[in-house]
Amino acid sequence: MYEQSDAKRLWNRRVRTLVPYVPGEQPREPNLVKLNTNENPYPPAPGVQEAIRRFPIDRLRLYPDPASADLRRSLAEYYGVSHEQIFVGNGSDEILAFAFQAFFNPLSADSAPVDPSECIVFPDITYSFYPVYARMYDIPYREVPLDDRFRIQLQLMELPSAGIVLANPNAPTGIPVDLEALRRLAASDRNRLLLVDEAYIDFGGQSAVDLLPEFDNILIVQTLSKSRSLAGLRVGFAIGAPALIDALERVRDSFNSYTLDRLAQVAAEAAFASSAWFEKTRAQIIATREQTRAELAELGFLVLPSVANFLFVHHPARSGSELYQALRDRSILVRHFNRPRISDFLRVTIGTDQEMARLLTALRAILTPPMETE
Ligand SMILES: *Cc1c(COP(=O)(O)O)cnc(C)c1O
């Protein structure tokens, strides 16, 4: 037997120094209430099942359309833009990675001291993949602190920089920024890209799609993983000026021309064909969120004003890790980030009403000390 670790000598410098993103757990435990990765508790639209059932299996012999033309046309029609303004990818994470490579410059080889204006910026508390991509591609970055109420400090984000990345609504806070603020940010420097990650936009935020006619320096990234119940299909898309889409295609075609398989292309198209299911399930999730917010507040939680499919909550009497573990012991899985400023918060995905009822029952038991017995 060889020593597994010996082969680490073959790692290159990049792999030796990587700090990979850590996704939420996907345990296989039965009866687990899984509220840790912001998946949708409802099934995908019925048309998706139909499209997959009818898929002619023989077609899998052939490579898929690298341009995903049919899917892009459907998305273009849905969002009222041209198909040249749409890029599709293997989950929005892939598109974000392509965007970092397409629009932000790596450190120059002579590695002169970096001026703050040569850094890209994103909030200090946001989707933790952004710093991972920046390090992976050697892009210098600066983290702009959220204010004491966990809001993005837009006036600081406007300062000179090489690019702006923000999630709207932000993750894991769920707090949105309004269109007027995004307009000011985009207008503050039209030679700088504003990358807006709208993974949770369908649950209540204002999409920057309406700003696209005014700005060719905004790129919007969305996903089918959350509001369309298709995290397992791996489909995301970007909307922006045709030249921005062209850049993403150049990066993709220097990496893998076939990022979306045939099944993913037809199933994703079907997800957008039936809006009734989408409207019904998202309205239900929003209603459950508001109900859960009220009940958590009654239990003494501080609940940030989220417009996403999750709530970011803190209880003054219990630490984040203590609550996380007490819920885990009762087969309820939420997300806890062991990071400065937010280690006493939990991020709770909005599930079905029944799942939220189980969460609240568990929290009541955890927070109420047992009665003294003689
Ligand atoms: C879930 C999420 C994504 C990733 O979505 P995929 O399309 O599943 O890769 C991107 N950004 C944010 C902020 C997310 O929460």
Side-chain angles (χ1 to χ4, degrees):
M1 263 311 273
Y2 53 82
E3 268 290 316
Q4 187 70 25
S5 61
D6 277 0
K8 286 188 180 173
R9 72 187 184 283
L10 303 175
W11 289 11
N12 72 4
R13 273 192 300 278
R14 181 182 299 282
V15 170
R16 282 168 207 270
T17 57
L18 279 183
V19 185
Y21 173 76
V22 184
E25 278 180 84
Q26 295 291 348
R28 287 172 180 246
E29 200 175 313
N31 295 320
L32 185 78
V33 177
K34 189 173 180 301
L35 306 174
N36 69 328
T37 50
N38 298 340
E39 287 138 331
N40 199 306
Y42 302 108
V48 173
Q49 172 88 78
E50 196 52 31
I52 291 177
R53 207 183 352 246
R54 286 187 178 179
F55 183 83
I57 199 76
D58 183 58
R59 295 263 107 187
L60 288 181
R61 289 185 305 103
L62 307 174
Y63 282 106
D65 172 13
S68 299
D70 292 341
L71 174 56
R72 285 169 66 207
R73 276 180 206 286
S74 302
L75 288 168
E77 198 172 313
Y78 189 90
Y79 288 98
V81 298
S82 133
H83 70 276
E84 295 169 311
Q85 291 179 269
I86 303 277
F87 180 84
V88 293
N90 195 258
S92 58
D93 286 339
E94 180 184 76
I95 302 177
L96 291 167
F98 289 171
F100 273 63
Q101 293 173 81
F103 305 113
F104 305 142
N105 283 313
L107 284 167
S108 49
D110 57 18
S111 68
V114 183
D115 188 271
S117 67
E118 291 170 50
C119 295
I120 63 165
V121 293
F122 40 80
D124 63 338
I125 296 167
T126 189
Y127 189 38
S128 45
F129 234 131
Y130 307 150
V132 171
Y133 292 137
R135 285 192 298 262
M136 171 86 168
Y137 302 121
D138 291 323
I139 297 158
Y141 66 92
R142 219 159 18 89
E143 294 178 317
V144 177
L146 298 187
D147 71 12
D148 54 5
R149 289 164 65 192
F150 295 95
R151 293 170 307 192
I152 294 175
Q153 304 202 67
L154 292 151
Q155 61 307 343
L156 297 182
M157 301 285 289
E158 267 182 32
L159 297 176
S161 72
I164 303 173
V165 183
L166 57 85
N168 185 33
N170 197 17
T173 63
I175 299 176
V177 296
D178 64 36
L179 269 197
E180 218 21 72
L182 283 180
R183 175 182 277 119
R184 276 198 305 274
L185 205 50
S188 66
D189 181 354
R190 287 175 177 266
N191 293 320
R192 158 172 77 182
L193 186 79
L194 172 56
L195 180 55
V196 189
D197 181 349
E198 295 189 347
Y200 301 103
I201 200 71
D202 292 329
F203 299 107
Q206 292 177 288
S207 174
V209 169
D210 292 344
L211 298 178
L212 293 180
E214 270 174 82
F215 295 100
D216 66 1
N217 59 319
I218 295 180
L219 184 72
I220 297 163
V221 178
Q222 290 199 17
T223 177
L224 277 67
S225 297
K226 284 41 185 260
S227 60
R228 304 275 169 180
S229 308
L230 287 168
L233 193 70
R234 309 307 304 130
V235 182
F237 57 97
I239 317 177
L244 302 184
I245 302 308
D246 194 29
L248 294 172
E249 286 172 349
R250 289 170 70 107
V251 171
R252 179 197 60 206
D253 293 339
S254 307
F255 165 73
N256 171 11
S257 299
Y258 306 107
T259 55
L260 272 198
D261 63 69
R262 283 179 176 270
L263 276 167
Q265 291 186 29
V266 298
E269 211 184 329
F272 278 86
S274 35
S275 62
W277 180 262
F278 167 72
E279 295 300 345
K280 188 173 131 184
T281 50
R282 78 156 160 179
Q284 180 59 61
I285 289 169
I286 291 168
T288 305
R289 177 186 72 210
E290 295 312 309
Q291 171 76 24
T292 307
R293 181 202 307 284
E295 291 180 282
L296 287 169
E298 230 167 82
L299 284 177
F301 280 91
L302 167 72
V303 185
L304 296 192
S306 167
V307 297
N309 68 336
F310 56 82
L311 293 170
F312 202 47
V313 306
H314 160 71
H315 198 283
R318 292 287 195 284
S319 79
S321 51
E322 195 182 346
L323 273 180
Y324 169 85
Q325 195 51 53
L327 286 170
R328 191 73 186 78
D329 294 343
R330 290 166 173 78
S331 288
I332 298 173
L333 186 57
V334 299
R335 192 86 194 259
H336 174 242
F337 299 94
N338 205 357
R339 299 190 38 202
R341 291 185 77 186
I342 56 169
S343 61
D344 274 334
F345 279 78
L346 297 178
R347 192 194 65 192
V348 180
T349 302
I350 301 302
T352 60
D353 284 337
Q354 294 87 319
E355 288 174 317
M356 299 331 269
R358 259 184 76 184
L359 169 81
L360 287 154
T361 304
L363 284 173
R364 275 184 206 106
I366 293 163
L367 294 168
T368 315
M371 300 260 253
E372 301 274 334
T373 45
E374 308 282 297

